[in-house]
């Protein structure tokens, strides 16, 4: 995931343009497509609310600044 994609998802969630189920489905699809999915996607995938998804997206990827 790149920073633009992450920020777009965060903004869409925070302003209500996307619902939590849209974002969890997006994360699920990326997980299935990737050989080595970004670890944050797993947390997003199981998020129960907008705040949890935003926090998961804001986490830094392990080993990356």
């Amino acid at each position: 995931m790149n920073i633009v994609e992450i920020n777009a998802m965060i903004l869409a969630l925070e302003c209500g343009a996307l619902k939590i189920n849209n974002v969890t489905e997006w994360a699920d699809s990326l997980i299935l497509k990737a050989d080595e999915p970004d670890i944050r996607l797993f947390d997003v995938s199981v998020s129960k609310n907008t705040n949890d998804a935003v926090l998961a997206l804001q986490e830094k990827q392990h080993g990356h600044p």
Side-chain angles (χ1 to χ4, degrees):
M1 293 188 311
N2 66 51
I3 192 72
V4 173
E5 186 176 24
I6 292 168
N7 287 336
M9 281 296 177
I10 291 170
L11 181 61
L13 277 166
E14 290 180 334
C15 74
L18 286 177
K19 302 289 185 207
I20 188 65
N21 63 317
N22 301 120
V23 178
T24 57
E25 289 172 6
W26 164 79
D28 289 343
S29 71
L30 290 179
I31 290 167
L32 292 172
K33 290 178 188 175
D35 290 333
E36 292 185 32
D38 187 310
I39 194 75
R40 293 173 288 192
L41 291 172
F42 293 98
D43 291 333
V44 174
S45 178
V46 297
S47 295
K48 300 295 182 205
N49 58 58
T50 298
N51 189 54
D52 289 346
V54 168
L55 289 173
L57 286 167
Q58 289 174 334
E59 286 292 319
K60 294 192 184 314
Q61 186 176 7
H62 298 289
H64 292 79

